[in-house]
Amino acid sequence: AAQSVVSALKSLANNGRTIICTIHQPPSEVFLMFDKLLLFAEGRTAYLGNLGGAPKVFAELGYPCPPSYNHADFYIHTLAIRPGQENESRAVVKKFTDSYRAKEEESGILQNPEPPSELMTRTLREMSHRRGESWVTQLRLIMWRSFVSSTRDFQVVGVQLMQTIVMALLFGLVFLQIAKGQDQTRVQNISGAGLMVLVAAFFTTVYPIVQVLPAEVVVLIRDHDNKMYKPWIYFICKYTAQIPIDIVYNTIFTLI
């Protein structure tokens, strides 16, 4: 199962998508599916590079991986702080992290590193000036997402359909013989029935949206902070996507 999941994630990553995930004690066949390897120890980088280059680095530092041994388990065991051997373990970690830093300095990567504060400031500045998609693209994508979200939960759709049928039967029984007679009472009864039908149709349309909004407000705030779309586009799409479903429900209500 883990191999199938990692294979699917790797296929998505190869298509240009960014995948962030965690994996616990991967078996050898799953571990070998990764392209790059980053090893952290005591908050410092011990190795960063191609997956196939890690065994050579460990061997050069005096820690060759035994044959037929899971490389992932070996790396974790080598760089872990073992109880009762804290000093020895930290010495091993320092050996790997110092070696990595020395190689990076030789290659010139760390000659003039940007201070973390300046890097964070520049990143936040770039994010604050980032422009999102056009409102047409936002409208199209959010409309599609809202429609899929409204129709994919078959249990909710079934409950709303059953509710519409039951309400239509109740209204039909209450106003079953309302059309008989020619006096003023008949006119008033028809007006009252029409008003009740309009009120029922209104609340049938509003209730599903009112129930969904509190659950999606966290997603709305997160997407707005990330400048993905504007709130007015979300509300327009949410109400518009509900219109076809409401037409079906109200048609069934009217026919019954």
Side-chain angles (χ1 to χ4, degrees):
Q3 186 173 4
S4 300
V5 172
V6 174
S7 178
L9 294 177
K10 186 174 182 178
S11 177
L12 292 174
N14 290 335
N15 290 330
R17 292 175 173 83
T18 301
I19 307 296
I20 300 177
C21 66
T22 59
I23 185 169
H24 180 65
Q25 292 183 334
S28 298
E29 60 271 13
V30 174
F31 182 71
L32 293 176
M33 296 176 65
F34 290 88
D35 299 320
K36 301 288 185 178
L37 177 64
L38 170 61
L39 297 176
F40 273 121
E42 293 288 287
R44 299 177 62 190
T45 303
Y47 177 80
L48 174 61
N50 295 326
L51 185 68
K56 179 180 178 180
V57 173
F58 274 73
E60 292 176 351
L61 295 176
Y63 297 91
C65 182
S68 303
Y69 200 93
N70 190 332
H71 286 203
D73 292 338
F74 175 74
Y75 299 149
I76 294 175
H77 179 76
T78 303
L79 298 175
I81 305 299
R82 294 183 291 274
Q85 302 179 9
E86 288 81 1
N87 294 333
E88 294 84 353
S89 300
R90 288 191 173 88
V92 173
V93 169
K94 187 175 185 303
K95 184 177 182 180
F96 276 88
T97 55
D98 290 348
S99 174
Y100 172 79
R101 184 174 181 84
K103 291 181 180 179
E104 294 298 293
E105 289 178 348
E106 291 177 1
S107 62
I109 296 179
L110 298 178
Q111 290 296 329
N112 295 300
E114 187 174 7
S117 58
E118 296 182 8
L119 176 62
M120 180 63 69
T121 302
R122 179 171 55 84
T123 303
L124 293 176
R125 188 183 302 112
E126 292 175 355
M127 292 178 63
S128 63
H129 290 85
R130 185 181 61 185
R131 297 184 60 185
E133 298 290 342
S134 65
W135 68 269
V136 177
T137 302
Q138 296 178 20
L139 194 66
R140 177 174 56 85
L141 295 178
I142 302 304
M143 181 72 71
W144 173 252
R145 189 185 74 173
S146 299
F147 181 76
V148 172
S149 176
S150 301
T151 57
R152 68 181 178 181
D153 195 341
F154 296 103
Q155 184 177 0
V156 174
V157 173
V159 170
Q160 292 177 353
L161 178 61
M162 184 61 64
Q163 179 183 357
T164 301
I165 295 174
V166 172
M167 290 293 294
L169 292 175
L170 290 176
F171 272 82
L173 292 175
V174 172
F175 302 103
L176 181 61
Q177 298 181 350
I178 194 175
K180 292 184 178 181
Q182 300 294 331
D183 54 2
Q184 182 66 24
T185 303
R186 172 177 174 272
V187 177
Q188 293 177 349
N189 291 338
I190 293 176
S191 300
L195 178 61
M196 293 297 295
V197 169
L198 289 177
V199 171
F202 172 77
F203 282 105
T204 303
T205 303
V206 171
Y207 273 149
I209 299 178
V210 172
Q211 294 173 355
V212 168
L213 286 179
E216 294 187 356
V217 67
V218 176
V219 178
L220 173 61
I221 294 175
R222 182 196 64 192
D223 293 345
H224 176 65
D225 292 340
N226 292 330
K227 302 183 183 302
M228 297 181 65
Y229 53 81
K230 299 184 179 300
W232 65 267
I233 290 181
Y234 168 82
F235 287 106
I236 289 178
C237 294
K238 200 64 182 178
Y239 279 94
T240 305
Q242 191 68 23
I243 291 177
I245 302 175
D246 294 334
I247 291 176
V248 174
Y249 291 154
N250 291 325
T251 302
I252 296 174
F253 184 89
T254 303
L255 293 176
I256 295 178

